[in-house]
Amino acid sequence: SLKHAQATQIVVTVMEEQNRFDLYVEDNGQGNMLNSLSLSDLIRQHHFGVVGMYEWARLAQGELSIQQNGGTTIHLTIPLS
């Protein structure tokens, strides 16, 4: 986030509740449009790091979301059961 988005602050939050693990990574950078791209578009545009994050979430039977909100928030949730 610091390198690509010119963020000056990153906040990482890790929580465990009700049999699930949640990881939030939030920055105050300029953001990007990665949340609007399909997986095949991400691959075509060589965003392999983001593709890898989605794949890792899938393998862990979890979900990954990327949101733009005056910065970027990445949320990973994984069931612990």
Side-chain angles (χ1 to χ4, degrees), residues 9-45:
Q9 181 179 20
I10 296 177
V11 176
V12 177
T13 306
V14 178
M15 300 183 326
E16 179 187 344
E17 59 180 56
Q18 299 181 1
N19 295 321
R20 76 172 201 242
F21 168 86
D22 287 290
L23 171 69
Y24 294 88
V25 179
E26 303 171 78
D27 73 31
N28 65 345
Q30 65 187 11
N32 55 53
M33 299 303 293
L34 295 179
N35 61 327
S36 64
L37 297 176
S38 70
L39 194 56
S40 59
D41 286 337
L42 288 168
I43 292 169
R44 270 194 293 278
Q45 294 180 22

